[in-house]
Amino acid sequence: MRPLDGYFFGDYFIGQKFVHATPRTITTGDTALYQALTGSRNPLHCSEPYAQSLGYPTSPVDDLLVFHIAFGKTVADVSYNAVANLGYADCRFVRPVFAGDTIRAETEIIGLHKNSSGKTGVVYVRSDAFNQDDQLVLTWARWVMVHCQAVSAPTNAQTDPLRVPQFAAFVAPDQLSVPACMQRSSLAAGVTGSAHFWEDIPLEVPIRHPAGMTIDETDHTLATKLYQNTARVHFDAQHMAGSRFGRRLVYGGQVISVCRALSYDGLENALSVAAINAGAHTNPTFAGDTLYAVSTPVAKWPLSQHIGALRVRLAGYKNVDPNTGAFASATDAQTVLDLDYTILMQRQA
Amino acid sequence: MRPLDGYFFGDYFIGQKFVHATPRTITTGDTALYQALTGSRNPLHCSEPYAQSLGYPTSPVDDLLVFHIAFGKTVADVSYNAVANLGYADCRFVRPVFAGDTIRAETEIIGLHKNSSGKTGVVYVRSDAFNQDDQLVLTWARWVMVHCQAVSAPTNAQTDPLRVPQFAAFVAPDQLSVPACMQRSSLAAGVTGSAHFWEDIPLEVPIRHPAGMTIDETDHTLATKLYQNTARVHFDAQHMAGSRFGRRLVYGGQVISVCRALSYDGLENALSVAAINAGAHTNPTFAGDTLYAVSTPVAKWPLSQHIGALRVRLAGYKNVDPNTGAFASATDAQTVLDLDYTILMQRQA
Amino acid sequence: MRPLDGYFFGDYFIGQKFVHATPRTITTGDTALYQALTGSRNPLHCSEPYAQSLGYPTSPVDDLLVFHIAFGKTVADVSYNAVANLGYADCRFVRPVFAGDTIRAETEIIGLHKNSSGKTGVVYVRSDAFNQDDQLVLTWARWVMVHCQAVSAPTNAQTDPLRVPQFAAFVAPDQLSVPACMQRSSLAAGVTGSAHFWEDIPLEVPIRHPAGMTIDETDHTLATKLYQNTARVHFDAQHMAGSRFGRRLVYGGQVISVCRALSYDGLENALSVAAINAGAHTNPTFAGDTLYAVSTPVAKWPLSQHIGALRVRLAGYKNVDPNTGAFASATDAQTVLDLDYTILMQRQA
């Protein structure tokens, strides 16, 4: 049984499996809160008639909200004592989730690497999320830096073979799931705010999204509590006052969601997220930081007559607006997100 | 297509029409958030049995929430580069909205006036909001001050005829919509907190509402994100640090909603909002300000056997309690809202 | 009719009854917000399949959310001018509440005690909450310190007999309600995060819950607005700047909810709250405080073949982590909650 103070690096071994606690039913209360917390305007998720015009029975839950809730389930077993969430890979959104569905998650330890300091190690995991019918809705790999051990105790990791898994640079197009229902929207192109479709997006041309969004302390703590993410770095100001940051850290997933929401202006006809190919939180974000986003499409594949996939590099910045001259002298410390993800997009009629 | 950095004064011409993006389905998640953000206690909106006792199938969505969501749709096209939201007129709530309904909005430019500075102009618009059955639910006029142009470019406004539209001082009683279902509540008078009905409210006697409510930074930003209002003055602290305010501005609509919520104590039998006759945000509100409200009924008209209309002047103040002696020396800078609106109210049995 | 500035001590008499205003329909919007505001992970309330496996038709609303909403109804009549909420007793959760139910509340004055200063008195009340079918869902006693009178006026309390009611130390097991539907969950034990059931919890052994949660200003004000609790000490920073606290007070009920949510880690198989035996807010909590919780089970009774009752002393602390050495020198001023309550818990198979 999980120790009350969570697992440490020495507690993990390759092949170890966790069935995470507390399945979670998602409601329209959650989706409204998600919108209030991120400013999302993706019409697939906020307009039932638009979702229906695409063939969905009703609006699916935002993929990133599903991700955060599923991710939240894994924290108690995987990253309760994490120093940092280092990266994501091979994340695939397999099946849409609707209000009323219940999500549960399982995880397998797929890699371990002890850092030379001996104080921390990197734990690689594969997590799967299922709905109430035991259908896979989402699968992802991530790796986190974890403290080795609070106190002296047998550490499996020292005797077990260590292994660093390799991941493909991106999810191949034939592995992307297009919801079976997805057809061309019968609604006017302008309903989404743009007549620019999949064919109209040039590759390697950065889209500097115009808006910025400041994150306040309550924004990110409400979000992580909603996601039932219990990583104490987000919640416990007393504890964090003694950390090297001196204060609470914004959950990286919230940074992803805000940057994705900002990217609506310029990618209005994006539909769902099909994959997260790779991702890293390059710097911490704190309450009071203002986030900006730049999307750079890097590849595109037609998936069906009506739907194309667009692989995008989504960069997040704090406190420097990419639309201003100051951006030219932005420092590395001002980048907060480097996300490589693949979205589905409507094709031209 | 809308430029990513929004329209400027020179981009508008009289008669120009906009179909705004992203229809929005309203859920009980939105109504719960609205209540948490405003402290609203209007029983029509928070008690399904009370709404049903009045003849509604269920609780209608708070009129001001509908207004904010419809208003939010117009921001990207109308007031993205607004310096200030100057006023409202002839706003009529035509049809109730229920959870599950989807709201979309359209706008026509009805007036233009270039300020003598040449740097800004005033844009007058008429906006209409429709439900998923294309029924008009709400129509309003407003005018905003907009920057003339970011860069040199052809400015239609310089050659087109300018025109300042005139509005009636208030919406005439025969233009007010009473929901067809509306009947006398079969419930005890006390269910609303008061046995004072339409006949019992004296004109020209100010009602100093007893409570005050402090607005924090997250309150108003959650609200505007929920409303998908993208005016950057509300969201981007980094940008606003360089403005004359030095910080984010609270969305004026949130001030209206909080003052309306405060007015419950003293106007407990108010039902829905039938019209906003005129309105101005007389001073900016910032996070940390505490709002107080005074309602002065100025006219009343019987509309049916059971329902009367009450025209009310709702004044909002910041950081000075109208119930204290200090109020006598309140300065003009402490008024934040001057709203002239008409509410429906139950008549005596 | 209730005066706009609320009742004072002199306005109350024993036997006086209040039917509180504005019945309130609870939705999944409310439950999502409650989760975001407290970080609750109790699977009964967040997982519909888990609730159904226990025999419920769907997830019941968290008992404490029901309590806060019912409590909120009573504030305008009972504690609008309260100096402090002194204590709770004999609170029994009689019937589950589901999204869609509407809650109303009534109160009877059951005791009065004038303080020797003559400036304040203690008002003892019994409040009952009912659903839309007039079924009792919740009943509780509480006592509050109230200002005697704002201005000179007849004070009933001076002539009426005063009386201090006595309460049993705890709700007897035969007075606890077990929802008729409640059966053993057919789901695997691990779904809740622990295989520790009612039999496995030792008495008198403190459970130091591992996490802490910082409360920010917007957290508690969103909560009290959601609960329609209008006690001005929570909302009006301008008013509170002149109080001995100098700032807004966190609603004590929010402290209870956060501590209860923190207690999930260690009491994972707790189901609903059956009773609050006694409770006191031993010190005020302010925005910025980080809360920690320790549960000490003090008694247990089997209630059915599948369900047992556990009486628990839930202690809340601010800014001192019970899992650290610093806790040994925690001062009385750092305790914020002393709650004696009884929860239902699954028994071993």
Side-chain angles (χ1 to χ4, degrees):
Chain A
M1 209 173 90
R2 190 171 65 83
L4 269 191
D5 57 350
Y7 295 108
F8 291 89
F9 183 72
D11 297 317
Y12 294 107
F13 57 90
I14 289 174
Q16 191 177 12
K17 289 184 182 179
F18 297 92
V19 175
H20 305 299
T22 62
R24 167 85 154 72
T25 304
I26 300 180
T27 70
T28 55
D30 297 311
T31 61
L33 261 164
Y34 184 76
Q35 187 166 308
L37 291 165
T38 64
S40 165
R41 283 168 288 148
N42 184 320
L44 177 59
H45 305 304
C46 72
S47 173
E48 201 169 271
Y50 181 69
Q52 289 168 343
S53 78
L54 288 161
Y56 288 90
T58 184
S59 282
V61 175
D62 194 300
D63 307 288
L64 293 178
L65 174 55
V66 175
F67 177 80
H68 298 323
I69 286 176
F71 183 100
K73 305 258 140 282
T74 70
V75 165
D77 293 317
V78 173
S79 48
Y80 191 81
N81 293 305
V83 184
N85 198 27
L86 297 175
Y88 310 96
D90 190 33
C91 170
R92 282 170 278 128
F93 294 85
V94 175
R95 194 179 294 270
V97 172
F98 299 96
D101 284 353
T102 300
I103 300 301
R104 62 181 184 82
E106 300 180 359
T107 290
E108 179 173 349
I109 305 299
I110 58 171
L112 290 168
H113 173 77
K114 197 163 188 176
N115 289 329
S116 56
S117 74
K119 293 184 177 171
T120 58
V122 180
V123 181
Y124 296 79
V125 305
R126 158 69 60 188
S127 297
D128 297 317
F130 302 90
N131 66 17
Q132 68 280 8
D133 298 322
D134 288 326
Q135 296 171 312
L136 183 70
V137 296
L138 170 63
T139 178
W140 73 98
R142 68 165 169 139
W143 48 105
V144 293
M145 193 189 299
V146 176
H147 284 295
C148 267
Q149 195 79 23
V151 293
S152 59
T155 57
N156 299 316
Q158 292 176 331
T159 52
D160 277 16
L162 301 187
R163 186 173 71 200
V164 174
Q166 299 300 313
F167 301 104
F170 62 95
V171 176
D174 61 3
Q175 288 188 292
L176 299 174
S177 302
V178 179
C181 60
M182 253 195 196
Q183 62 191 32
R184 161 156 300 283
S185 171
S186 54
L187 300 181
V191 75
T192 61
S194 169
H196 277 187
F197 293 99
W198 177 78
E199 288 85 350
D200 306 312
I201 308 292
L203 297 184
E204 304 298 348
V205 179
I207 303 169
R208 297 177 179 211
H209 306 296
M213 186 170 291
T214 304
I215 296 192
D216 295 296
E217 208 73 88
T218 302
D219 292 340
H220 75 92
T221 56
L222 280 180
T224 32
K225 284 183 282 189
L226 184 71
Y227 310 150
Q228 300 180 313
N229 178 328
T230 56
R232 72 189 306 179
V233 292
H234 308 313
F235 291 112
D236 185 336
Q238 158 90 4
H239 173 76
M240 292 304 289
S243 75
R244 66 189 170 105
F245 302 112
R247 55 191 301 202
R248 286 171 280 176
L249 287 175
V250 173
Y251 164 50
Q254 194 62 12
V255 173
I256 294 176
S257 281
V258 167
C259 289
R260 157 86 163 144
L262 291 173
S263 80
Y264 166 78
D265 288 308
L267 289 170
E268 294 86 350
N269 283 300
L271 298 166
S272 53
V273 178
I276 296 175
N277 302 301
H281 300 292
T282 45
N283 277 292
T285 299
F286 302 104
D289 285 343
T290 303
L291 299 180
Y292 300 90
V294 175
S295 292
T296 306
V298 295
K300 54 167 75 176
W301 309 282
L303 294 185
S304 74
Q305 189 186 349
H306 303 306
I307 305 293
L310 190 69
R311 183 182 165 202
V312 178
R313 202 76 179 258
L314 176 63
Y317 303 92
K318 64 177 177 184
N319 307 325
V320 60
D321 184 344
N323 302 288
T324 62
F327 188 64
S329 53
T331 65
D332 282 353
Q334 291 181 301
T335 69
V336 291
L337 178 68
D338 178 6
L339 189 79
D340 182 332
Y341 75 141
T342 300
I343 53 181
L344 301 186
M345 206 159 181
Q346 278 223 282
R347 301 185 63 173
Q348 288 173 358
Chain B
M1 208 174 91
R2 190 169 66 81
L4 270 190
D5 58 350
Y7 296 108
F8 292 90
F9 184 72
D11 297 318
Y12 294 108
F13 57 90
I14 289 173
Q16 191 177 10
K17 290 185 181 179
F18 297 92
V19 175
H20 305 298
T22 60
R24 168 84 153 73
T25 305
I26 301 180
T27 70
T28 54
D30 298 310
T31 61
L33 261 165
Y34 184 77
Q35 187 167 310
L37 290 165
T38 64
S40 165
R41 283 168 288 149
N42 184 317
L44 177 59
H45 305 305
C46 73
S47 172
E48 200 169 90
Y50 182 68
Q52 289 168 343
S53 78
L54 288 161
Y56 287 90
T58 185
S59 283
V61 175
D62 194 299
D63 306 288
L64 293 177
L65 174 56
V66 175
F67 177 80
H68 297 323
I69 287 176
F71 183 100
K73 306 259 140 279
T74 72
V75 165
D77 293 318
V78 172
S79 48
Y80 190 79
N81 292 305
V83 184
N85 198 28
L86 298 174
Y88 311 96
D90 191 32
C91 171
R92 283 169 278 127
F93 294 85
V94 175
R95 194 179 294 271
V97 172
F98 299 96
D101 285 354
T102 299
I103 300 301
R104 63 181 182 82
E106 299 181 0
T107 290
E108 180 173 350
I109 305 297
I110 58 170
L112 290 168
H113 173 77
K114 196 162 187 176
N115 289 329
S116 55
S117 74
K119 293 184 178 170
T120 57
V122 180
V123 181
Y124 296 81
V125 304
R126 159 69 59 188
S127 298
D128 297 317
F130 303 90
N131 65 18
Q132 68 279 9
D133 297 322
D134 289 326
Q135 295 171 314
L136 183 70
V137 297
L138 170 63
T139 178
W140 74 98
R142 69 166 169 138
W143 48 106
V144 292
M145 193 187 300
V146 176
H147 284 295
C148 267
Q149 195 80 20
V151 292
S152 60
T155 58
N156 299 315
Q158 292 176 333
T159 53
D160 277 18
L162 301 188
R163 186 174 71 201
V164 175
Q166 299 298 314
F167 301 104
F170 63 95
V171 176
D174 62 4
Q175 288 188 292
L176 299 174
S177 302
V178 179
C181 59
M182 252 196 195
Q183 62 191 32
R184 160 156 301 284
S185 171
S186 55
L187 300 182
V191 75
T192 61
S194 169
H196 277 187
F197 292 100
W198 177 78
E199 288 86 350
D200 305 312
I201 308 291
L203 297 185
E204 304 298 347
V205 178
I207 303 168
R208 297 177 179 211
H209 305 297
M213 187 171 289
T214 304
I215 296 191
D216 295 296
E217 208 72 89
T218 302
D219 292 339
H220 75 91
T221 56
L222 280 180
T224 33
K225 284 182 282 189
L226 183 70
Y227 310 152
Q228 299 180 314
N229 178 327
T230 57
R232 71 189 308 179
V233 292
H234 309 312
F235 291 111
D236 185 335
Q238 157 90 2
H239 174 75
M240 292 304 288
S243 75
R244 67 189 169 104
F245 302 113
R247 54 191 302 203
R248 286 171 282 176
L249 287 175
V250 173
Y251 163 50
Q254 194 62 13
V255 173
I256 295 176
S257 281
V258 167
C259 288
R260 157 85 163 144
L262 292 173
S263 79
Y264 166 78
D265 289 307
L267 288 170
E268 293 87 350
N269 283 300
L271 298 167
S272 53
V273 178
I276 296 175
N277 301 301
H281 300 292
T282 45
N283 277 292
T285 299
F286 302 103
D289 285 344
T290 302
L291 298 181
Y292 300 90
V294 176
S295 293
T296 306
V298 294
K300 54 166 76 173
W301 309 283
L303 294 186
S304 75
Q305 189 186 348
H306 303 306
I307 305 292
L310 191 69
R311 183 181 165 202
V312 177
R313 203 76 179 259
L314 175 62
Y317 301 93
K318 63 177 177 184
N319 307 326
V320 59
D321 183 344
N323 302 289
T324 61
F327 189 64
S329 54
T331 66
D332 282 353
Q334 290 180 303
T335 70
V336 291
L337 178 68
D338 178 7
L339 189 80
D340 182 331
Y341 76 140
T342 300
I343 53 182
L344 301 186
M345 206 159 181
Q346 278 222 282
R347 300 184 63 174
Q348 288 173 359
Chain C
M1 208 174 88
R2 191 171 64 83
L4 269 190
D5 57 350
Y7 295 108
F8 291 89
F9 183 72
D11 297 318
Y12 295 107
F13 57 91
I14 290 173
Q16 192 177 8
K17 290 185 181 177
F18 296 92
V19 175
H20 304 299
T22 60
R24 168 85 153 71
T25 304
I26 301 180
T27 70
T28 54
D30 298 310
T31 60
L33 261 164
Y34 184 77
Q35 187 167 311
L37 290 165
T38 63
S40 164
R41 283 169 288 151
N42 183 319
L44 177 59
H45 306 303
C46 73
S47 172
E48 201 169 270
Y50 181 68
Q52 290 167 343
S53 78
L54 288 161
Y56 287 91
T58 184
S59 284
V61 175
D62 194 299
D63 307 288
L64 293 178
L65 174 55
V66 175
F67 177 80
H68 297 324
I69 286 176
F71 183 101
K73 306 259 139 279
T74 71
V75 165
D77 293 318
V78 172
S79 49
Y80 191 80
N81 292 305
V83 183
N85 199 28
L86 298 174
Y88 311 96
D90 190 33
C91 170
R92 283 170 278 127
F93 294 85
V94 174
R95 194 179 294 270
V97 172
F98 299 96
D101 285 353
T102 300
I103 300 300
R104 63 181 182 82
E106 300 181 359
T107 290
E108 179 173 349
I109 305 299
I110 57 170
L112 290 168
H113 173 77
K114 196 162 187 175
N115 289 329
S116 55
S117 74
K119 292 184 178 171
T120 57
V122 180
V123 182
Y124 296 80
V125 304
R126 159 68 60 189
S127 298
D128 296 318
F130 302 90
N131 66 17
Q132 69 279 10
D133 297 323
D134 289 325
Q135 295 171 312
L136 183 70
V137 296
L138 171 62
T139 177
W140 74 97
R142 68 166 169 138
W143 48 106
V144 291
M145 194 189 300
V146 176
H147 284 295
C148 266
Q149 194 81 22
V151 293
S152 58
T155 57
N156 299 316
Q158 292 176 331
T159 52
D160 277 16
L162 302 188
R163 186 172 71 201
V164 174
Q166 299 298 315
F167 301 104
F170 63 95
V171 177
D174 62 4
Q175 289 188 293
L176 300 174
S177 302
V178 179
C181 59
M182 251 194 197
Q183 62 191 31
R184 160 157 301 282
S185 172
S186 56
L187 299 182
V191 75
T192 61
S194 169
H196 277 186
F197 293 100
W198 178 78
E199 288 86 350
D200 305 312
I201 308 290
L203 297 185
E204 303 298 347
V205 178
I207 303 167
R208 297 176 179 211
H209 305 296
M213 187 170 290
T214 304
I215 296 192
D216 295 296
E217 208 73 88
T218 303
D219 293 339
H220 75 91
T221 56
L222 281 180
T224 33
K225 285 183 282 189
L226 183 71
Y227 310 150
Q228 299 180 312
N229 178 327
T230 57
R232 71 189 307 178
V233 293
H234 309 313
F235 291 113
D236 186 335
Q238 158 89 5
H239 174 75
M240 291 306 288
S243 75
R244 68 190 168 101
F245 301 112
R247 55 191 302 204
R248 287 171 280 176
L249 287 175
V250 173
Y251 164 50
Q254 195 62 11
V255 173
I256 295 177
S257 281
V258 167
C259 290
R260 157 87 163 144
L262 292 173
S263 79
Y264 166 78
D265 289 307
L267 289 170
E268 294 86 350
N269 282 301
L271 298 167
S272 54
V273 178
I276 295 175
N277 302 301
H281 299 292
T282 44
N283 277 292
T285 299
F286 303 103
D289 285 344
T290 301
L291 299 181
Y292 300 90
V294 176
S295 294
T296 307
V298 294
K300 54 166 76 174
W301 308 283
L303 294 185
S304 76
Q305 188 186 350
H306 303 306
I307 305 293
L310 191 69
R311 183 181 165 202
V312 177
R313 202 78 178 259
L314 175 61
Y317 302 93
K318 64 176 177 184
N319 307 326
V320 59
D321 183 345
N323 302 288
T324 62
F327 189 63
S329 54
T331 66
D332 282 351
Q334 289 180 301
T335 69
V336 291
L337 177 68
D338 178 6
L339 189 78
D340 182 332
Y341 76 141
T342 300
I343 53 181
L344 301 186
M345 206 159 182
Q346 278 221 282
R347 300 183 63 173
Q348 288 173 357

